[in-house]
Amino acid sequence: MPHKPSVLFVCVHNAGRSQMAAGFLTALAGDRFDVRSAGSAPAETLDATVVEAMTEVGVDISGNTPKPLTIDAIGISDVVVTMGCADACPFFPGISYRDWVLPDPADQSLELVRSIRDHIQILVENLIAELVPAPTR
């Protein structure tokens, strides 16, 4: 059985950016990845505007809850994508890191959250293309 890549998305509160990214990767790639998200200082709940923006594009993250970043979560990941918390994320040799520079959607208008969402979707689509080679003919 081929190795299923493990991707961890990390932002500060795990209430917006990382949740959107994990939602998109799950929705777009199905079960081809182990997908997790975490926060360096997790919030109590997801940002309601983020949930609304994701629902608009057919991705339901409403049942998710913010989770704390752990050393174990990083250590078992093939790829760690940070969004605004790179300094809080320990570095492990052999793990591929990405830092996506995105505004924090917390307390932002739905219009701004939509633009962040759309940017994250493009980044996730590019990540899938990078990690899943195109079939050869």
Side-chain angles (χ1 to χ4, degrees), residues 12-16 39-47 65-68:
V12 177
H13 300 296
N14 191 222
S40 55
E44 293 286 319
T45 61
L46 296 190
D47 184 290
T65 55
K67 293 168 227 40

Side-chain angles (χ1 to χ4, degrees), residues 5 22 26 40 82 88 113 120 126:
T26 300
S40 55
T82 59
V113 172
I120 289 172
N126 291 342

